[in-house]
Amino acid sequence: MMNTSNGMISAPSSSSSPAVNPQSPGIKTYFKTPEGKYKLHYEKTHSSSLLHYAHGKTVTQVTLAQLKERAAPSTPTGTSSGYNASSGFRSATARLLGTGNGNRALSFVGGNGGGKSASTSSRISGSFAASSSSTSMTNTNFDGKGTYLVFNVGDAIFICDLNSQDKDPVKSIHFSNSNPMCHAFDPDSKDGHDLLIGLNSGDVYTVSLRQQLQDVSKKLVGALHYNKDGSVNNSRCTSIAWVRGGDGAFVVAHADGNLYLYEKNKDSATDSTFPAIRDPTQFSVDKAKNSKSNPVARWHICQGSINSIAFSNDGSHLATVGRDGYLRIFDFSTQKLVCGGRSYYGALLCCSWSMDGKYILTGGEDDLVQVWSMDDRKVVAWGEGHNSWVSGVAFDSYWSSPNTDGSGEHIMYRFGSVGQDTQILLWDLEMDEIVVPLRRPPGGSPTYSTGSQSAHWDSVIPVGTLQPAPCKRDVPKLSPVIAHRVHTEPLSGLMFTQESVVTACREGHIKIWTRPSVSETQSNSSEANPAIALLSSSFPKDNKGSLSSKIGGSSLK
């Protein structure tokens, strides 16, 4: 039970199972930031009775999915993708795929409900136990829209209604011979197949989230199956992503260091074979020998596991981090390595882009959060504050920073990180205030400068160079705005929404923390800077809204 009167979570009663109430005494139901309190709103979990022996073999990942009202029947059509990427990038993606028939119909985004298919697709096969019933029972409570959290635990995928107070998932999907490891949602899918699921066996499925929610069974319905029984690559799927503006293309990263490019609407029955990897230590791209096969291309990234991948917001660049400790950034359309570098120590486990594509966050086994600059092609800051491995990083694109010059440009970024130390840390990055060390000349001392040094680095580090780990004294250090213990188990995921912050632990327990109210944010901003309060009082009443919108949700230094 939760005792909200004192802001603490009380211990569960002896009759409660850990899965129903996994919390322990000492975990506060809020954490304070300069702009106000983030309060625990909802918790999501799963029933321990649904999990099998393999529960401890996987780490929970969380995907946010938002379903809009159904706009068209779920029949593929020839309409073009609604994604607002440039036509030039779409053409580049088509060249990578070799064909351009991946258009989709049925426009919807995200999810709150579950829909059931009229019959189980015969395309579900292999290691997955599919329903054989010719008719299916429909979930009449599903209204076809909403926002959902999709997460994996053990041998199951769970789907929760983000805006519901219910802890239990509205839907669970179980796999018989393998565990789901990663998943991704495509908000711009046209044919309804918007959810990707990668398994420990290497198998990959695409399904309609709406269709799964409509179905009351615990089986996948209407799924498309790729890399069946590991026919192309039998190492586990580690990360998966839709290609931005790719008209149904997606990429799958594996534990053997290879990444494969698939086209969703291309027949996957034809066997895909690829040329032998010439030099395992070097990056290489090969197309499938048969132009009709799926996957259509293989990227050999590294010798160890690829732990995480992420596309920039415009889809032009792909970032990967791996067991070898390297961040690699690729120009996706040209299939070229742009830049990258090594962690201070150990493997990198996670990565995330800023919305403007200027910065990349990484975290891993060195307990540090690295901030990479695309302009400078190097690490520009290290965040120190975690006491164990950093397992999740993300920029808060909904947070608004103070804007002193009125130009409307971002002068400060807010980002977060979670780790195996059970903590969430929030950070503020203001590049104008960071002293950026230049490259240390051989046998010399580092020099320092403020602002962008892209011209300097263009002359020193060629494009496509992987840099060694920098010395700690050469990189500016960031201190967290707050550090708060939010779970009792090691954390595995973090995401920001417009109204909340979502944290997940590796055991499959999720917490939703609501942001401070607008009035609380404005009050704290005024207290932090009395000049703002004076300005606010001097403005006419009808102009206060424009002022508060600039300072709302910000952390003033």
Side-chain angles (χ1 to χ4, degrees):
M1 296 178 63
M2 294 181 59
N3 182 355
T4 55
S5 61
N6 61 1
M8 303 290 289
I9 298 178
S10 59
S13 62
S14 57
S15 60
S16 299
S17 66
V20 175
N21 190 344
Q23 307 302 331
S24 66
I27 305 294
K28 290 184 177 181
T29 60
Y30 65 88
F31 56 87
K32 292 182 179 180
T33 66
E35 60 267 21
K37 286 184 180 179
Y38 286 71
K39 300 175 183 178
L40 180 62
H41 190 48
Y42 296 140
E43 294 182 70
K44 307 293 182 182
T45 187
H46 52 83
S47 173
S48 59
S49 62
L50 297 176
L51 300 179
H52 298 167
Y53 70 93
H55 173 33
K57 296 183 179 180
T58 61
V59 175
T60 295
Q61 294 187 19
V62 183
T63 295
L64 182 70
Q66 184 183 12
L67 286 172
K68 293 180 180 179
E69 292 187 24
R70 187 188 300 270
S74 55
T75 303
T77 70
T79 58
S80 62
S81 171
Y83 182 75
N84 59 356
S86 67
S87 59
F89 178 69
R90 270 212 254 357
S91 300
T93 304
R95 288 197 300 271
L96 285 175
L97 296 174
T99 58
N101 60 353
N103 296 322
R104 294 162 281 175
L106 182 65
S107 166
F108 58 83
V109 192
N112 251 42
K116 178 160 190 157
S117 138
S119 64
T120 302
S121 172
S122 61
R123 288 174 287 188
I124 305 176
S125 59
S127 62
F128 180 75
S131 171
S132 60
S133 174
S134 60
T135 60
S136 61
M137 296 177 291
T138 300
N139 179 5
T140 57
N141 293 326
F142 175 58
D143 60 4
K145 59 182 179 179
T147 306
Y148 295 88
L149 295 175
V150 180
F151 62 101
N152 61 292
V153 186
D155 62 353
I157 287 281
F158 296 98
I159 306 171
C160 285
D161 187 338
L162 175 64
N163 299 312
S164 169
Q165 297 186 27
D166 294 336
K167 276 190 173 184
D168 296 332
V170 297
K171 172 77 175 183
S172 61
I173 302 170
H174 292 260
F175 297 80
S176 59
N177 297 324
S178 187
N179 294 339
M181 304 296 295
C182 49
H183 30 83
F185 181 79
D186 179 12
D188 300 297
S189 174
K190 301 295 183 182
D191 66 358
H193 278 244
D194 47 15
L195 183 63
L196 281 171
I197 303 173
L199 306 186
N200 188 56
S201 60
D203 294 63
V204 178
Y205 292 96
T206 65
V207 298
S208 164
L209 177 61
R210 187 190 303 274
Q211 200 171 9
Q212 307 315 305
L213 290 167
Q214 287 171 344
D215 192 272
V216 297
S217 72
K218 296 181 180 180
K219 308 295 182 182
L220 279 181
V221 291
L224 295 174
H225 194 174
Y226 308 88
N227 191 28
K228 182 179 176 181
D229 299 326
S231 59
V232 178
N233 189 314
N234 61 7
S235 66
R236 75 178 184 277
C237 299
T238 56
S239 192
I240 200 165
W242 294 99
V243 176
R244 300 292 183 97
D247 291 336
F250 60 91
V251 292
V252 183
H254 287 265
D256 65 352
N258 289 311
L259 179 143
Y260 292 87
L261 175 64
Y262 289 82
E263 186 179 357
K264 179 175 63 175
N265 293 331
K266 196 171 186 180
D267 185 15
S268 60
T270 305
D271 290 337
S272 286
T273 56
F274 294 89
I277 297 173
R278 296 172 291 279
D279 184 354
T281 65
Q282 298 297 317
F283 167 66
S284 62
V285 177
D286 291 295
K287 290 187 176 181
K289 291 182 177 180
N290 188 339
S291 61
K292 297 181 179 180
S293 62
N294 209 8
V296 297
R298 179 194 65 203
W299 292 27
H300 177 68
I301 306 293
C302 54
Q303 288 184 281
S305 173
I306 303 171
N307 291 331
S308 183
I309 61 176
F311 276 102
S312 59
N313 191 52
D314 63 0
S316 61
H317 289 84
L318 175 67
T320 70
V321 292
R323 182 70 189 91
D324 61 359
Y326 278 94
L327 164 71
R328 293 173 173 88
I329 302 165
F330 302 93
D331 184 313
F332 188 72
S333 61
T334 63
Q335 309 172 70
K336 300 295 185 182
L337 176 67
V338 176
C339 61
R342 204 185 190 289
S343 65
Y344 180 71
Y345 171 80
L348 288 175
L349 305 175
C350 51
C351 60
S352 178
W353 288 84
S354 62
M355 286 295 290
D356 56 13
K358 292 182 178 180
Y359 299 99
I360 306 165
L361 301 174
T362 64
E365 296 177 356
D366 54 12
D367 304 350
L368 298 171
V369 179
Q370 290 186 340
V371 183
W372 274 80
S373 168
M374 281 295 290
D375 288 339
D376 301 321
R377 300 206 300 275
K378 62 177 178 135
V379 177
V380 294
W382 267 339
E384 296 181 335
H386 280 286
N387 301 315
S388 188
W389 295 358
V390 179
S391 49
V393 289
F395 278 96
D396 186 354
S397 60
Y398 301 96
W399 182 82
S400 57
S401 64
N403 193 340
T404 57
D405 59 6
S407 66
E409 297 179 357
H410 287 290
I411 60 172
M412 186 186 296
Y413 299 81
R414 165 66 61 83
F415 62 89
S417 59
V418 294
Q420 296 192 12
D421 56 3
T422 72
Q423 291 190 105
I424 180 174
L425 274 62
L426 298 181
W427 315 76
D428 286 346
L429 175 69
E430 190 167 8
M431 292 309 300
D432 291 342
E433 295 187 358
I434 287 184
V435 178
V436 182
L438 302 183
R439 185 175 178 84
R440 176 191 294 270
S445 299
T447 55
Y448 296 86
S449 177
T450 57
S452 174
Q453 300 296 329
S454 57
H456 169 82
W457 284 97
D458 284 341
S459 62
V460 174
I461 299 181
V463 172
T465 301
L466 293 178
Q467 302 176 46
C471 296
K472 267 198 171 183
R473 63 178 177 269
D474 294 349
V475 181
K477 309 302 188 298
L478 294 177
S479 295
V481 176
I482 65 103
H484 182 74
R485 184 170 178 246
V486 290
H487 289 253
T488 58
E489 298 292 335
L491 297 178
S492 59
L494 166 73
M495 67 175 62
F496 294 95
T497 72
Q498 187 169 2
E499 297 83 14
S500 61
V501 178
V502 181
T503 59
C505 76
R506 59 185 303 147
E507 298 299 315
H509 307 298
I510 299 171
K511 292 184 177 182
I512 296 96
W513 307 82
T514 55
R515 296 178 183 271
S517 63
V518 174
S519 59
E520 182 182 4
T521 298
Q522 292 176 351
S523 174
N524 286 337
S525 297
S526 299
E527 291 175 4
N529 191 341
I532 292 180
L534 180 62
L535 280 172
S536 180
S537 63
S538 65
F539 269 83
K541 185 175 181 180
D542 58 353
N543 286 338
K544 286 184 180 180
S546 60
L547 176 66
S548 62
S549 66
K550 292 181 181 180
I551 64 175
S554 64
S555 166
L556 300 182
K557 291 190 175 181

